[in-house]
Amino acid sequence: MDIEPLSIGRIGEVIDLVSTGAPYLTPRTWSDYWAYATLFSSTCPLAIVGARVVGSVVAFRSQDEPGDIYVQDVVTDPGHRRQGITRALLDTVAGRGREWGCRRLYLTSEPGNQTAHAAWTALGFRNVVGDRSFGDISAVTDYKGPGRTRAVYELALS
């Protein structure tokens, strides 16, 4: 497996890959991925096996809180799951964050997504205590706007 930054030439492959993340993940527009490839490629790594994109992370360093990197989307091809691809991609983002002196990676998930919860905690992310519980998952009401309650996870980089 090779890791490379998102590039304009790989956008179509990423859109196809993200389509496999339904129902929790849907592709963004070509223009969105163009912006990610042009402005944020250092925190948007791709996993390549052979010549094919099999994993993708879209993440951004906060301009308002430069110590934070927000992980927007994570997806691994269904045929390549449980092979360390997500870990390798997130390690790449974490390494970049450490180079920049960032203090944490964080991400959100729908509180009912037990598979994501298991993955994030196995990768060392901590489920941030919120104001609601969904079984063993803590969530923050309206975190991403009205009606958009989310489980929040963070990974310390220091």
Side-chain angles (χ1 to χ4, degrees):
M1 171 180 55
D2 294 314
I3 304 291
E4 67 182 49
L6 175 59
S7 62
I8 292 169
R10 295 279 196 181
I11 291 173
E13 292 175 85
V14 171
I15 289 172
D16 290 344
L17 177 64
V18 173
S19 296
T20 69
Y24 295 108
L25 192 60
T26 56
R28 304 195 188 275
T29 70
W30 185 278
S31 293
D32 291 330
Y33 290 109
W34 175 90
Y36 308 155
T38 303
L39 304 172
F40 302 101
S41 65
S42 60
T43 54
C44 296
L46 304 176
I48 311 298
V49 172
R52 194 168 148 242
V53 175
V54 297
S56 173
V57 167
V58 171
F60 312 100
R61 183 179 187 187
S62 173
Q63 293 180 17
D64 295 331
E65 296 292 336
D68 289 348
I69 296 177
Y70 177 70
V71 179
Q72 171 91 15
D73 293 331
V74 178
V75 65
T76 299
D77 179 271
H80 288 84
R81 291 184 181 152
R82 304 189 71 74
Q83 297 177 18
I85 290 171
T86 295
R87 181 180 301 278
L89 291 169
L90 289 171
D91 284 350
T92 298
V93 176
R96 179 53 55 114
R98 286 184 189 97
E99 289 172 14
W100 290 335
C102 295
R103 69 178 195 277
R104 74 173 179 148
L105 295 182
Y106 74 106
L107 56 87
T108 64
S109 180
E110 293 195 29
N113 190 342
Q114 290 285 339
T115 302
H117 176 76
W120 305 141
T121 56
L123 291 167
F125 284 79
R126 179 181 68 84
N127 182 205
V128 176
V129 175
D131 60 348
R132 296 179 67 184
S133 292
F134 295 80
D136 61 342
I137 300 174
S138 187
V140 179
T141 302
D142 299 337
Y143 187 83
K144 285 193 163 182
R148 301 198 42 94
T149 298
R150 294 292 182 266
V152 180
Y153 298 86
E154 66 180 12
L155 178 70
L157 296 181
S158 47

